[in-house]
Amino acid sequence: MSVVASQLHREDSTCKPCRSCKWQIPDPTDPNSGQCTANRTEAGAVWKRWIRDVMNMTCTRHEEGKLSFREHV
Ligand code: SF4
């Protein structure tokens, strides 16, 4: 496999949390959790990754979602 995975990691009080990233989909039952949709498999399918703490986790592929709310600022 040659999938290039983003380095999702914990970073307390990061200024670029998954929460504000356009790739993140919030979990409907747990606001602290979500899923990252930034990654693709070789076949091009979305490869979701579980995010345990959307406020304190980040990666190098963080992109501000244009439509996301910005309560973290
Ligand atoms: S910061 Fe990285 S891991 Fe988090 S949602 Fe965005 S792309 Fe995914």
Side-chain angles (χ1 to χ4, degrees):
M1 293 275 283
S2 60
V3 174
V4 179
S6 53
Q7 296 298 309
L8 176 59
H9 62 277
R10 168 167 282 278
E11 191 174 301
D12 287 339
S13 303
T14 176
C15 63
K16 291 184 174 183
C18 291
R19 174 67 178 273
S20 67
C21 177
K22 75 174 185 178
W23 301 112
Q24 192 258 145
I25 299 175
D27 185 290
T29 60
D30 180 359
N32 294 316
S33 300
Q35 291 180 73
C36 172
T37 61
N39 298 294
R40 295 289 185 277
T41 65
E42 282 181 63
V46 175
W47 177 37
K48 289 183 182 173
R49 302 174 79 209
W50 186 245
I51 307 164
R52 279 158 300 170
D53 184 347
V54 294
M55 293 302 290
N56 296 297
M57 291 183 83
T58 187
C59 86
T60 55
R61 294 181 64 179
H62 184 281
E63 285 184 46
E64 293 279 343
K66 289 187 174 57
L67 299 177
S68 71
F69 40 108
R70 295 168 181 263
E71 62 188 82
H72 64 288
V73 175

